[in-house]
Amino acid sequence: MTNEEKIILMLENIQQDITEIKANVKKTDEEKRRQKNIEAFFEAAENFRRADTPEEKAELDAFFAFMDAEEERKRAKYDLLS
C-alpha cells in the first residue's frame, strides 16, 4: 500500500468517526430535550396538584372548563363524521 493510499484510508476513517460523533451528539441533544420536557410536565402536574390560592384554583377551574369544552367540540365533530 502506498503512502497516498494510507493517507486516503486514514482520512476516510476520520470522516467516518466524525459522522458517528455528530450522530451521537444529536442523539444526546434529543435526549436532553426530551428529559427537559418530562421535567416540565412533572412540574406542571405538581403545580396543578397543589393549587393553594383562590387565583390558582380559579385558573384551574377555567382550564378544566376549557378542556371539557374542547372534548365536547371534538365529540360533536366526530359524531357528525360518523
Side-chain angles (χ1 to χ4, degrees):
M1 185 178 280
T2 66
N3 284 341
E4 291 84 9
E5 291 173 334
K6 289 179 183 178
I7 291 171
I8 291 173
L9 182 61
M10 284 178 22
L11 290 173
E12 288 173 348
N13 288 339
I14 289 171
Q15 190 174 22
Q16 184 178 3
D17 291 345
I18 289 173
T19 303
E20 290 174 10
I21 290 170
K22 284 182 180 179
N24 288 339
V25 167
K26 183 177 179 183
K27 182 179 176 183
T28 301
D29 288 346
E30 289 173 358
E31 288 173 0
K32 286 179 184 177
R33 196 173 321 115
R34 208 173 294 135
Q35 185 63 31
K36 285 181 183 178
N37 288 342
I38 291 170
E39 289 171 5
F41 171 77
F42 281 119
E43 183 179 340
E46 179 64 20
N47 289 340
F48 270 148
R49 188 185 66 78
R50 57 176 179 81
D52 299 334
T53 65
E55 293 85 9
E56 289 174 337
K57 290 179 182 175
E59 193 175 315
L60 280 178
D61 291 340
F63 173 75
F64 291 134
F66 170 78
M67 292 304 292
D68 289 342
E70 272 299 294
E71 287 299 316
E72 185 57 37
R73 182 189 67 79
K74 288 178 191 176
R75 192 175 304 113
K77 178 180 178 179
Y78 292 112
D79 283 346
L80 290 176
L81 296 175
S82 299

